[in-house]
Amino acid sequence: MYRLLSLVAVVAIALPIRADDKTDDFFAAVRRGDVRAVETLLDKGVDPKAKTAYGATGLHFAADKGNVEMAKLLLKRKADPNAADTFYGATPLMWASMNNHAGVLAELLAGGATGGEGLLRSAAADGKVDMVKAILAHAKPTVEQLTAARGVATKDDVIDLLTKAGAHKPEKKATAPTDDLKAFIGTYRNAEAGDLTVDADGGSLAVSLGGKKLFTLIRDKDDVFKIEGNEATLTFTRKDGKITGFTVKAGKGNEQAFARVDPKAVAKKDAVLPDVAEPTEKVTKPLNWPQFRGTGATGVADGQYPPTSFDVPKNKNVRWKTPIPGLGHSCPVVWEDRIFITTAVSGDPKAGIKPGQYGDVESVKDDTSHKWFVICLDKKTGNVIWQKEACAGVPKIKRHLKGTHANPTVATDGTHVVVSFGAEGLYCYDRDGNLKWKRDLGNLDSGWFYNPDYQWGFGSSPIIHEDRTIVQCDVGKNSFIAAYSLADGKPIWQTPRDEIPSWGTPTIVVGPERTELVTNSTKFVRGYDPKTGSELWKLGKNAEITVPTPFLAKGLIWITSGYRPIQPIYAIKPGATGDISLKDKETSNASIAWSKAKGGPYMPTPIVYGDYLYTCANNGLLTCYEAATGKQMYAERLGGADGFTASPVAADGRLYFTGEENGVRVVKAGPKYQMLAINPLGETCLATPAIADGLLLVRTEHHLVALGRAEK
């Protein structure tokens, strides 16, 4: 739903959050559909045009939920049906249209909303009969618009409605584009958004992503086209008379440029992979992998020699494969001979996740009783050594369609095993599974910044530093970061954070002068003193959703985020003090070695290996930069249409990229792109692998799999 909106999103305006409790109550009542409470609050003086920090009004929420009675009340009280929010640039009409709420759409149009005519063609093409009826009843489409809609309609009842409204029988659709449109046909590339295809669609142009149509372009003048059903425009650029690209513009300050790609560069070719010999070296010093992405979250495990090629369905280089009940995106961690992992088992036997690049904000509606488990396995055999039930009950917070109730990864120092289940509590076990202590961290509600009713579940993993465990709890209200004693779980310090939900894990950075605790979040990237929790430094405004975890490599702290329109990459020098935010047009300062305004990944944490930084976008665009300077070395597609959520890991000259449904791709490290292997897993996988003692440990949807070279 918000995937297309974010493509044409406008930059969020930092409006002050209303301190008026009645206004907050008003928005909460609208979202839960309490018409009587809303009416009472309006009677007490709450402004029906009140806006959230993102410019959303009560009508936006009513339209999103499809609440007809709420929309009627708000319109009666003079709410603005044409107010656009300040982040997505969407009006209530757009939310009603996207969610197919014909009843609300009809009320909005009757109440003065404009733009209904522009929605007619897409509603007709999608066969949305009720939407077409609402538009015809309350908008005033022209004969040309009616005819265009009839031309794309496939359902007889839609065709009948449009014909009765005055649509002409369309002329036979052209089998070839008109001469004046031929010049625009082609493939256009943006490093983050991917490849968009522009093709002829009768007398207009259609824009597609991965073979799926996104929107129709209606010519305005010359090289300027309007995006049908949206306020955004698309303007083609020329050089020496030839089309070189286009720019999508949606409101002041937000533009996204696409460059035209030579047809030869996008021609499909069968991948020819080299014959790669497996490493023959023996592991002389097995490493531990004690937290998310290993020590310091770097993801690097040289000298462990995991396999390059494997095939789980065919049992190639599979040492063992152990079923794991329930659902969890927590990653395996390793300490000596033991592996620790968590899971949440729903009372619904059909509970699952929905992988893929779809951008839906919905929460899973599963109010069955769950059980949360911590599991310890033998590294050599995969046998379960112990399994402990941490807690049970109906989840306090809903999860995202793509998430689980066991997202955070375990942290261990070999003696303590620290486990976070978010709102279900923080737990500490010893290596033999004996519970040492537990703490209630409160109702940790992480969700969509725009509408907190959409709960997505907790994701930040605990870390261990010296005698304490540290947890970053960025939620809808009352965010904080805290340290608890490993011995008994008692608080050592707790620091409030003026932050919205984030999902990255904090990281301890040992610099040349001091040790810092670094966090990635929306309002500021921050450095803290891990002994006291006091803030040392902060850096600018980040993306509205932050997921990647900070880490130290090559003497720099790496921070990225990738929710449009803000997608920065920062290389920060340890030891900073105060506000180190970049000024306009700056790319570096005394504390920032280099930065880029675009290119930061949305979900996967990047990796620095050797002399290079590698970022992997959700769509599989792998970009390699020179770590010292930020110079781009290459940008290539990993392939596979499923998407990438897991973070990359590396060992012994190879990089491992785990796709959600298309297995693990292995790429040769270095400034030139070379795919070495594409390895099937046979199951969905969103968890980051671990590397230890010759093994690549992969947590799939239903198993933990140990992949290793054949033992001789």
Side-chain angles (χ1 to χ4, degrees):
M1 177 170 62
Y2 71 98
R3 177 184 174 85
L4 177 56
L5 281 174
S6 61
L7 178 64
V8 295
V10 297
V11 178
I13 297 175
L15 297 175
I17 297 174
R18 297 290 297 267
D20 185 351
D21 290 338
K22 290 182 180 179
T23 302
D24 292 340
D25 292 344
F26 165 72
F27 288 124
V30 172
R31 291 197 302 266
R32 69 173 180 266
D34 191 339
V35 176
R36 180 173 295 180
V38 170
E39 188 169 24
T40 299
L41 289 165
L42 291 173
D43 289 340
K44 290 182 178 180
V46 173
D47 185 357
K49 298 180 181 180
K51 296 182 178 182
T52 69
Y54 295 94
T57 67
L59 268 181
H60 282 85
F61 297 129
D64 178 48
K65 299 290 187 179
N67 192 321
V68 175
E69 292 305 312
M70 187 70 72
K72 284 182 178 180
L73 171 62
L74 294 171
L75 287 166
K76 182 180 179 181
R77 296 298 187 95
K78 306 302 182 184
D80 185 359
N82 292 308
D85 69 65
T86 55
F87 192 87
Y88 296 113
T91 63
L93 197 70
M94 293 170 64
W95 288 112
S97 174
M98 284 187 297
N99 294 320
N100 196 25
H101 295 319
V104 172
L105 184 134
E107 293 298 330
L108 291 169
L109 290 172
T114 59
E117 299 88 350
L119 301 172
L120 182 60
R121 192 174 189 274
S122 58
D126 294 337
K128 297 178 178 178
V129 179
D130 291 339
M131 296 285 283
V132 171
K133 286 181 178 179
I135 295 169
L136 293 178
H138 299 285
K140 296 179 180 179
T142 64
V143 172
E144 290 77 12
Q145 290 171 325
L146 291 166
T147 302
R150 189 187 188 282
V152 297
T154 55
K155 285 189 175 181
D156 290 340
D157 42 3
V158 172
I159 293 172
D160 290 343
L161 286 169
L162 294 168
T163 302
K164 290 177 182 178
H168 296 162
K169 184 177 181 181
E171 297 178 5
K172 187 176 181 181
K173 191 174 180 179
T175 56
T178 57
D179 290 339
D180 63 332
L181 292 181
K182 286 182 179 179
F184 304 109
I185 295 173
T187 300
Y188 298 80
R189 178 170 295 168
N190 174 278
E192 197 279 333
D195 290 355
L196 296 183
T197 301
V198 177
D199 208 340
D201 184 13
S204 54
L205 294 173
V207 179
S208 302
L209 172 67
K212 183 177 181 180
K213 181 179 174 181
L214 291 179
F215 44 74
T216 297
L217 299 177
I218 306 299
R219 197 170 202 163
D220 186 19
K221 57 182 179 180
D222 299 328
D223 294 338
V224 181
F225 290 75
K226 291 183 178 180
I227 295 178
E228 186 178 44
N230 199 289
E231 297 297 322
T233 59
L234 188 150
T235 303
F236 288 91
T237 54
R238 292 180 183 263
K239 184 176 181 180
D240 299 328
K242 295 183 178 180
I243 300 295
T244 58
F246 64 73
T247 299
V248 178
K249 186 175 182 180
K252 184 179 179 180
N254 184 69
E255 294 185 358
Q256 196 165 20
F258 288 75
R260 191 166 195 167
V261 184
D262 188 304
K264 295 179 182 178
V266 295
K268 293 184 178 180
K269 297 180 180 179
D270 293 332
V272 179
L273 301 180
D275 292 327
V276 179
E278 295 288 358
T280 57
E281 296 90 340
K282 292 184 178 180
V283 178
T284 57
K285 186 179 180 180
L287 293 181
N288 294 319
W289 190 275
Q291 63 164 71
F292 170 73
R293 257 225 335 196
T295 302
T298 62
V300 176
D302 281 338
Q304 300 305 291
Y305 307 112
T308 303
S309 300
F310 47 88
D311 187 324
V312 176
K314 294 182 179 180
N315 205 37
K316 175 186 176 182
N317 281 340
V318 177
R319 292 279 188 88
W320 49 260
K321 180 179 178 182
T322 301
I324 303 294
L327 297 173
H329 292 331
S330 61
C331 313
V333 301
V334 183
W335 194 275
E336 296 178 348
D337 62 341
R338 298 193 176 194
I339 301 171
F340 302 97
I341 202 164
T342 66
T343 190
V345 181
S346 169
D348 178 3
K350 296 182 180 180
I353 59 173
K354 180 183 177 183
Q357 299 183 75
Y358 50 86
D360 200 326
V361 300
E362 287 289 340
S363 307
V364 173
K365 297 176 177 61
D366 182 356
D367 57 0
T368 63
S369 182
H370 286 55
K371 293 183 178 181
W372 284 262
F373 292 100
V374 185
I375 303 173
C376 175
L377 302 94
D378 183 277
K379 183 177 69 176
K380 185 175 182 179
T381 65
N383 293 334
V384 174
I385 298 174
W386 54 260
Q387 176 174 306
K388 300 294 181 179
E389 181 181 312
C391 57
V394 176
K396 297 174 183 176
I397 302 297
K398 296 183 178 67
R399 64 178 175 91
H400 189 273
L401 291 166
K402 205 171 183 174
T404 75
H405 286 299
N407 294 324
T409 296
V410 171
T412 184
D413 60 2
T415 301
H416 307 86
V417 180
V418 181
V419 180
S420 172
F421 287 121
E424 314 304 330
L426 183 70
Y427 302 80
C428 182
Y429 297 83
D430 65 19
R431 63 176 275 116
D432 295 320
N434 299 305
L435 180 65
K436 295 175 65 68
W437 53 263
K438 62 181 179 179
R439 288 199 67 85
D440 182 355
L441 299 182
N443 200 37
L444 300 180
D445 188 351
S446 300
W448 189 17
F449 62 88
Y450 186 88
N451 184 343
D453 283 359
Y454 294 96
Q455 299 175 325
W456 292 347
F458 197 73
S460 184
S461 301
I463 60 172
I464 290 175
H465 174 60
E466 296 178 346
D467 63 344
R468 63 200 62 189
T469 183
I470 299 172
V471 291
Q472 177 180 338
C473 301
D474 289 343
V475 290
K477 291 184 179 180
N478 303 320
S479 297
F480 65 92
I481 187 166
Y484 301 97
S485 167
L486 281 174
D488 54 19
K490 292 182 179 179
I492 298 174
W493 55 257
Q494 179 170 314
T495 301
R497 286 164 60 83
D498 179 19
E499 286 294 347
I500 64 174
S502 70
W503 288 265
T505 296
T507 299
I508 292 292
V509 169
V510 180
E513 299 178 357
R514 70 183 184 204
T515 298
E516 305 170 25
L517 170 65
V518 182
T519 64
N520 191 13
S521 45
T522 292
K523 296 183 180 180
F524 289 100
V525 176
R526 290 179 170 92
Y528 295 92
D529 182 341
K531 292 183 179 180
T532 65
S534 59
E535 184 179 294
L536 301 171
W537 56 268
K538 61 183 180 180
L539 167 63
K541 190 178 186 298
N542 234 342
E544 230 64 19
I545 296 175
T546 56
V547 180
T549 289
F551 62 96
L552 177 72
K554 304 294 287 186
L556 296 170
I557 303 167
W558 301 91
I559 296 283
T560 63
S561 60
Y563 187 80
R564 285 185 293 261
I566 302 176
Q567 303 164 297
I569 300 174
Y570 295 113
I572 305 169
K573 302 174 185 177
T577 302
D579 191 339
I580 65 172
S581 303
L582 293 168
K583 297 178 181 178
D584 288 346
K585 298 183 180 180
E586 278 189 341
T587 59
S588 64
N589 60 26
S591 298
I592 300 175
W594 62 265
S595 70
K596 291 186 179 295
K598 298 290 183 181
Y602 180 31
M603 295 293 288
T605 297
I607 191 166
V608 171
Y609 189 53
D611 293 329
Y612 302 98
L613 165 71
Y614 302 86
T615 66
C616 179
N618 286 26
N619 59 16
L621 178 68
L622 172 61
T623 307
C624 173
Y625 302 93
E626 194 173 65
T629 66
K631 178 183 177 182
Q632 183 174 311
M633 308 308 295
Y634 68 73
E636 297 286 347
R637 295 279 168 185
L638 289 171
D642 61 319
F644 291 78
T645 292
S647 299
V649 294
D652 309 303
R654 291 155 294 156
L655 300 158
Y656 295 79
F657 298 89
T658 305
E660 292 181 9
E661 295 181 282
N662 282 334
V664 180
R665 284 159 166 73
V666 184
V667 174
K668 183 178 180 180
K672 294 184 178 180
Y673 176 77
Q674 184 182 0
M675 179 75 74
L676 298 178
I678 299 176
N679 303 308
L681 292 175
E683 288 183 19
T684 298
C685 180
L686 278 73
T688 298
I691 299 175
D693 198 9
L695 300 177
L696 182 73
L697 296 162
V698 181
R699 196 256 180 85
T700 63
E701 187 171 0
H702 301 296
H703 294 85
L704 180 62
V705 186
L707 301 157
R709 295 171 292 162
E711 295 180 307
K712 296 181 180 179

